[in-house]
Amino acid sequence: ASTHIDYLLAKHEVQDKYLNAKGLILIHQKRYNEAIEYFKQALKKFYQFRLTSMYLGVALSLNGQFIQAERILNRVLQISRNNMLPLLCLIENSIRADDIPIAKEYARILFDNFAVTAIKNQLENLSKDHLSPPLSPILISSIVEIQSEK
């Protein structure tokens, strides 16, 4: 997939969507610094701002840049109130930063805004959806206290 995206980036003038795809591939390959650069390029072109910003926040978190990740993910949350994914990203980022009280606060916000069944379904689908940011249902469940099937 990475080679195919590299080809598309080299051959096409309109590269915005390929920048996001390349960054997502790099996250899955654990090449976070490179992924961050691709997401920043996509954001300069204002390509899918919310999604790209969320990907960037996850890449920063996985790269250990927790404060920057939280700032970006909170911005995504402000413009995506009806989407629980930014909250799940914030919960995982807080756990990775070893800030459990903040993770629990984000979990409280999650439960205040979404039904338990919807949260459980989202957690169960995280590992199946390769177009979503790579989040750990097990890690998130440790705070959210909902066990996913996987």
Side-chain angles (χ1 to χ4, degrees):
S2 186
T3 304
H4 186 67
I5 283 294
D6 289 339
Y7 172 80
L8 291 171
L9 283 168
K11 296 294 179 189
H12 291 274
E13 245 180 71
V14 181
Q15 302 174 0
D16 303 355
K17 63 184 170 187
Y18 303 128
L19 293 170
N20 248 7
K22 178 68 175 184
L24 190 57
I25 289 167
L26 290 167
I27 285 180
H28 284 285
Q29 293 175 341
K30 300 182 184 343
R31 294 165 55 189
Y32 308 125
N33 284 325
E34 294 171 76
I36 289 165
E37 291 310 311
Y38 276 94
F39 295 136
K40 285 181 178 179
Q41 287 178 46
L43 284 172
K44 284 180 186 173
K45 297 173 186 264
F46 296 103
Y47 181 73
Q48 291 187 352
F49 182 79
R50 286 182 288 209
L51 183 62
T52 302
S53 294
M54 191 163 42
Y55 288 163
L56 175 60
V58 170
L60 288 165
S61 179
L62 292 169
N63 202 40
Q65 298 171 300
F66 307 117
I67 294 169
Q68 298 94 320
E70 183 172 19
R71 186 181 56 223
I72 288 169
L73 292 168
N74 265 310
R75 235 182 296 153
V76 174
L77 179 61
Q78 295 305 312
I79 58 176
S80 298
R81 289 266 180 211
N82 295 328
N83 184 347
M84 77 174 72
L85 210 47
L87 277 167
L88 295 175
C89 293
L90 282 160
I91 291 167
E92 182 167 318
N93 180 64
S94 298
I95 295 168
R96 290 183 183 283
D98 201 26
D99 195 344
I100 303 308
I102 294 295
K104 287 182 176 180
E105 178 59 21
Y106 287 129
R108 185 194 61 75
I109 295 167
L110 180 72
F111 284 108
D112 284 350
N113 290 284
F114 299 96
V116 172
T117 53
I119 297 167
K120 184 175 181 177
N121 288 339
Q122 183 70 58
L123 288 172
E124 289 174 358
N125 288 319
L126 281 177
S127 59
K128 299 174 191 172
D129 183 1
H130 299 292
L131 296 177
S132 288
L135 297 173
S136 170
I138 294 169
L139 194 60
I140 295 168
S141 292
S142 70
I143 294 296
V144 180
E145 298 177 356
I146 294 177
Q147 298 304 310
S148 66
E149 300 299 315
K150 286 273 176 182

